[in-house]
């Protein structure tokens, strides 16, 4: 793989993956990042990369629903691998306005697959990033394995399920060399503060309520984003084409104790903060419609076949993440004030 097209590389996981590939991995080729820069895409995530890796990194503001622009980039840069992150990714937004999820997650993925199919002679790999949410919700017991049926419950997970099926079908029908990974909830640096962990950290620091949906007993399996990046690169290099791999953190937690953990860490590292104990900010609010009770993921296939396992513990991962949000006040302020949007508009209008 010499020229990897990364879609959605300016979002949370995509930008962490670009940092990982260029700074920590054995990859020696070039990255072409295309991103529409929706509210979730932030060029500031990659400022240091633009400076440090001028010869190996290029960015284009492109919508994956725009076939013509995609085709031009594909040909100009002799793309031989695709790592597809671009998506609308937030469940609550998919409940409020599902349409963008259908366009980007389904049609956008279809456009990329078509481009790969029509350039198949020089495509080594199409890696599709997906979620454990396609499997639906578990009760108190059980664990998702790669062979489980898909039972998505939100417009977000349904659109991701549709895209997974399309990717699979392009392998079965056209023999496109694909791999798919279905990962559990990620957390870490550069996550947009609408998702649970960064939202709670930033609200707690500002003495704002910490809104917990329902009774706080919903369970997620948390994975530190750098562990996810390592898993993706492992699969891209050694995964069997046509296969799906589950990725998980082995860290099941109910939402309430997770938020309490965040509060305890903040009590320790911000002893002078007048908001202590931060737990007192916790507020229970109306539940999310169709709220999946529990996700748990069996990643033994990835562990057995490709020797990957998560390295970060939840405690150390949360400590690193909270510290990152406290240390990167400019990044946080630019998002909160909307300044990052003004910057994008002035640079890409
Ligand atoms: P994110 O919302 O932070 O980033 C998504 C990126 O895609 C943004 O930069 C956005 O601008 C870009 N984008 C959106 N629509 C686009 C379009 N039409 N054309 C081009 N770019 C577009 O999301 P994330 O959390 O980084 O998730 C990345 C991928 O990982 C998604 O496919 C998501 O389904 C999957 N995933 C996420 C998690 C998680 O916990 N965050 C877990 C498992 C899988
Ligand atoms: P989220 O980070 O949105 O990820 P996902 O819905 O994809 O799992 O939410 C994680 C869990 O936290 C989920 O059970 C919903 C819950 N949640 C809250 O209780 N309060 C909040 O403000 C948010 C954003 C999420």
């Amino acid at each position: 793989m010499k020229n990897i097209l990364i879609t959605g590389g300016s979002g949370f996981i995509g930008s962490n993956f670009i940092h990982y590939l260029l700074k920590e991995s054995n990859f020696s080729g070039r990255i072409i990042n295309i991103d529409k820069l929706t509210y979730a895409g932030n060029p500031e995530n990659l400022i240091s990369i633009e400076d440090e890796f001028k010869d190996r990194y290029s960015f284009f503001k492109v919508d994956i629903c725009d076939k013509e622009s995609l085709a031009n980039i594909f040909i100009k840069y002799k793309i031989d691998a695709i790592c597809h992150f671009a998506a609308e990714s937030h469940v609550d937004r998919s409940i409020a306005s599902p349409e963008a999820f259908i366009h980007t997650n389904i049609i956008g993925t279809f456009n990329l697959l078509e481009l790969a199919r029509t350039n198949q002679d020089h495509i080594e790999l199409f890696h599709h990033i997906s979620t454990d949410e396609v499997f639906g919700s578990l009760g108190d017991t059980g664990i998702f394995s790669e062979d489980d049926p898909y039972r998505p419950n939100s417009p977000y997970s349904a659109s991701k399920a549709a895209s997974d099926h399309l990717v699979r079908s392009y392998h079965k029908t056209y023999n496109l060399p694909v791999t798919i990974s279905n990962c559990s909830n990620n957390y870490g640096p550069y996550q947009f503060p609408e998702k649970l962990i960064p939202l709670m950290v930033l609200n707690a620091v500002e003495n704002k309520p910490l809104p917990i949906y329902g009774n706080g007993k919903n369970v997620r399996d948390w994975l530190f984003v750098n562990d996810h990046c390592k898993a993706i690169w492992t699969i891209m290099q050694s995964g069997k084409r046509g296969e799906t791999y589950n990725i998980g953190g082995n860290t099941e937690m109910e939402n309430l104790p997770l938020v309490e953990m965040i509060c305890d860490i903040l009590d320790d590292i911000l002893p002078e903060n007048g908001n202590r104990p931060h737990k007192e900010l916790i507020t229970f609010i109306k539940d999310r419609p169709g709220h999946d009770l529990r996700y748990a993921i069996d990643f033994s296939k990835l562990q057995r076949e490709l020797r990957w396992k998560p390295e970060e513990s939840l405690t150390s991962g949360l400590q690193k993440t909270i510290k990152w949000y406290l240390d990167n006040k400019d990044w946080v302020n630019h998002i909160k004030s909307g300044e990052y949007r003004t910057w994008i508009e002035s640079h890409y209008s």
Side-chain angles (χ1 to χ4, degrees):
M1 288 177 268
K2 289 202 190 84
N3 297 307
I4 302 186
L5 180 76
I6 294 187
T7 72
S10 306
F12 163 47
I13 307 175
S15 58
N16 275 284
F17 186 63
I18 292 173
H19 280 271
Y20 169 76
L21 265 196
L22 291 173
K23 291 181 180 163
E24 289 180 50
S25 81
N26 59 354
F27 175 65
S28 58
R30 187 182 175 99
I31 290 174
I32 297 90
N33 171 20
I34 58 167
D35 195 300
K36 184 180 173 182
L37 299 181
T38 67
Y39 78 94
N42 185 353
E44 207 169 336
N45 299 358
L46 293 161
I47 272 186
S48 62
I49 296 290
E50 303 237 1
D51 289 345
E52 218 181 304
F53 295 94
K54 281 192 182 64
D55 304 339
R56 295 177 58 206
Y57 173 78
S58 311
F59 171 74
F60 298 95
K61 182 176 181 295
V62 167
D63 184 341
I64 55 169
C65 295
D66 171 359
K67 286 198 245 186
E68 204 181 311
S69 302
L70 279 184
N72 290 339
I73 286 170
F74 223 75
I75 288 152
K76 181 168 176 207
Y77 286 95
K78 298 191 171 61
I79 301 298
D80 52 22
I82 299 159
C83 184
H84 176 33
F85 292 92
E88 288 290 339
S89 70
H90 190 38
V91 173
D92 293 324
R93 284 182 192 255
S94 84
I95 295 168
S97 334
E99 195 166 343
F101 290 72
I102 306 306
H103 284 292
T104 290
N105 299 5
I106 306 179
I107 312 281
T109 302
F110 166 70
N111 288 342
L112 287 163
L113 284 166
E114 274 292 278
L115 203 55
R117 178 174 78 85
T118 47
N119 292 279
Q120 198 161 338
D121 43 339
H122 48 89
I123 290 294
E124 215 176 291
L125 177 67
F126 186 111
H127 181 70
H128 178 60
I129 310 291
S130 192
T131 165
D132 58 355
E133 301 189 25
V134 297
F135 296 117
S137 179
L138 293 165
D140 290 337
T141 57
I143 188 159
F144 298 133
S145 86
E146 286 85 354
D147 300 327
D148 281 3
Y150 276 28
R151 292 194 180 97
N153 292 321
S154 70
Y156 163 65
S157 54
S159 66
K160 291 298 289 186
S163 66
D164 292 13
H165 290 320
L166 279 170
V167 175
R168 177 189 156 92
S169 78
Y170 271 62
H171 177 71
K172 293 285 177 188
T173 306
Y174 305 113
N175 206 22
L176 191 71
V178 312
T179 43
I180 299 175
S181 50
N182 293 89
C183 186
S184 61
N185 287 61
N186 283 218
Y187 67 100
Y190 303 113
Q191 187 166 31
F192 194 82
E194 63 181 351
K195 303 275 168 69
L196 182 71
I197 290 180
L199 181 76
M200 295 298 153
V201 174
L202 298 185
N203 277 13
V205 170
E206 290 189 13
N207 200 16
K208 289 185 178 158
L210 308 179
I212 306 243
Y213 300 159
N215 60 10
K217 287 189 183 299
N218 300 69
V219 175
R220 298 294 182 263
D221 172 11
W222 294 97
L223 179 70
F224 190 62
V225 65
N226 212 40
D227 276 331
H228 187 189
C229 295
K230 289 177 187 164
I232 294 167
W233 186 229
T234 302
I235 296 167
M236 287 181 73
Q237 291 177 100
S238 323
K240 200 168 158 224
R241 285 12 186 180
E243 291 287 312
T244 288
Y245 296 89
N246 278 354
I247 308 173
N250 214 3
T251 316
E252 278 186 59
M253 278 292 273
E254 287 184 357
N255 292 337
L256 178 59
L258 176 73
V259 173
E260 287 173 340
M261 255 177 101
I262 294 171
C263 290
D264 290 343
I265 296 173
L266 282 170
D267 287 349
D268 282 349
I269 55 182
L270 294 177
E272 75 287 1
N273 194 336
N275 315 331
R276 289 180 70 219
H278 292 89
K279 270 180 203 166
E280 286 179 1
L281 297 168
I282 291 174
T283 318
F284 292 92
I285 62 164
K286 192 166 173 278
D287 210 354
R288 170 190 279 174
H291 195 174
D292 286 338
L293 176 67
R294 178 172 161 260
Y295 305 141
I297 196 142
D298 173 2
F299 58 86
S300 56
K301 175 176 173 182
L302 184 55
Q303 189 162 16
R304 193 176 57 248
E305 294 183 8
L306 305 184
R307 304 263 164 255
W308 174 90
K309 64 174 170 31
E311 289 165 21
E312 198 74 52
S313 74
L314 184 62
T315 307
S316 65
L318 277 180
Q319 274 163 344
K320 280 185 189 172
T321 303
I322 291 172
K323 189 167 182 317
W324 188 88
Y325 280 90
L326 296 177
D327 289 348
N328 286 272
K329 289 203 169 59
D330 285 348
W331 186 93
V332 170
N333 289 337
H334 293 160
I335 289 205
K336 290 203 150 182
S337 64
E339 220 173 297
Y340 80 117
R341 300 307 310 168
T342 318
W343 189 91
I344 289 168
E345 276 148 29
S346 66
H347 281 73
Y348 297 104
S349 57

